[in-house]
Amino acid sequence: MSEKIIEEFEISPFTMAILPITYGSKIYSEIIEVENRCISPFKPLEIVKNSCEYYGASYEGRKNGTRRLIGITHKAPIMVDPYSSIYLFPTTSPMNPDCIWFSLNHILHHERSSSNNTLVTLRNKQTLEIPISFSSFTNQLRRASQLQIKYYQHIETMDNKYKRTGFYLNMEASERRREYDYKRFLEE
């Protein structure tokens, strides 16, 4: 893995964790991706906020969405981009300078470690010992999973509602034709 300083960064499906690091008297971010590790001069929360905006929503809007879907307001998981399934969760209050952000889909395993810490194994088999209790980490992971599930259930409900109302039948002829050709292609 290479480690370099970058000026601009948006969270992607390859982003596994964003950790705060002290650089002089400032807080920077160490970004761990599947095959890369880099440093950003921005704080983790700033990266999360900028990434939400990059994907077309504000951080506050994403927090409000979390509250609406699962009722969580403190240490809330964030759906950065539902289309590429980027769900992040914080280890503490996001305002805390020690807050680490993890990507839900990159947590392979977690277990108790010494001194009330948790050992987290990421999808690429890299391990991190972080200062959070096992039960707190498990709770944060559960909340992020709950957000993802609730979002998918919401989308499925909407899809079923439109199918029942005949929305698909009201499409333009060319759109129906593509749907028909697709079905015929599957049968062949």
Side-chain angles (χ1 to χ4, degrees):
M1 282 191 205
S2 64
E3 195 169 310
K4 59 185 175 183
I5 295 179
I6 57 168
E7 290 294 321
E8 293 185 30
F9 178 80
E10 285 82 29
I11 294 166
S12 77
F14 302 104
T15 307
M16 298 190 297
I18 304 169
L19 297 83
I21 59 168
T22 304
Y23 188 78
S25 62
K26 295 187 176 190
I27 302 292
Y28 279 19
S29 294
E30 179 178 11
I31 301 157
I32 301 173
E33 294 200 304
V34 175
E35 294 185 5
N36 192 25
R37 191 182 275 244
C38 53
I39 305 293
S40 170
F42 298 101
K43 295 176 185 175
L45 183 56
E46 292 173 317
I47 291 174
V48 172
K49 287 180 176 182
N50 290 339
S51 294
C52 286
E53 290 177 5
Y54 177 81
Y55 290 105
S58 69
Y59 173 74
E60 290 303 318
R62 292 297 191 202
K63 277 179 48 177
N64 289 338
T66 297
R67 186 182 73 243
R68 184 164 186 243
L69 287 172
I70 61 172
I72 303 296
T73 57
H74 299 295
K75 296 194 296 185
I78 297 294
M79 177 174 36
V80 176
D81 181 36
Y83 303 107
S84 53
S85 197
I86 302 172
Y87 294 81
L88 300 181
F89 63 92
T91 56
T92 67
S93 164
M95 301 306 291
N96 183 329
D98 296 324
C99 181
I100 299 169
W101 288 86
F102 282 97
S103 176
L104 172 64
N105 294 325
H106 288 289
I107 304 299
L108 188 61
H109 178 71
H110 67 289
E111 61 189 61
R112 282 177 170 71
S113 183
S114 61
S115 306
N116 204 28
N117 289 344
T118 301
L119 188 64
V120 179
T121 304
L122 301 172
R123 188 172 297 277
N124 68 353
K125 307 288 195 256
Q126 182 178 351
T127 59
L128 301 170
E129 185 171 350
I130 58 168
I132 183 176
S133 72
F134 178 80
S135 61
S136 291
F137 187 86
T138 301
N139 187 52
Q140 289 302 100
L141 184 64
R142 181 188 55 77
R143 287 172 157 193
S145 296
Q146 183 183 9
L147 175 62
Q148 185 180 42
I149 289 166
K150 193 69 168 179
Y151 175 74
Y152 286 137
Q153 287 173 340
H154 181 75
I155 295 302
E156 186 176 328
T157 299
M158 293 304 292
D159 281 350
N160 290 336
K161 177 182 174 183
Y162 284 117
K163 286 177 186 173
R164 281 193 310 271
T165 61
F167 174 76
Y168 294 111
L169 298 176
N170 294 328
M171 289 188 278
E172 296 294 322
S174 62
E175 292 172 330
R176 277 193 308 232
R177 184 174 184 281
R178 273 187 261 146
E179 183 179 331
Y180 172 76
D181 288 346
Y182 177 72
K183 288 178 182 177
R184 192 178 79 200
F185 174 76
L186 289 176
E187 293 170 357
E188 292 177 351

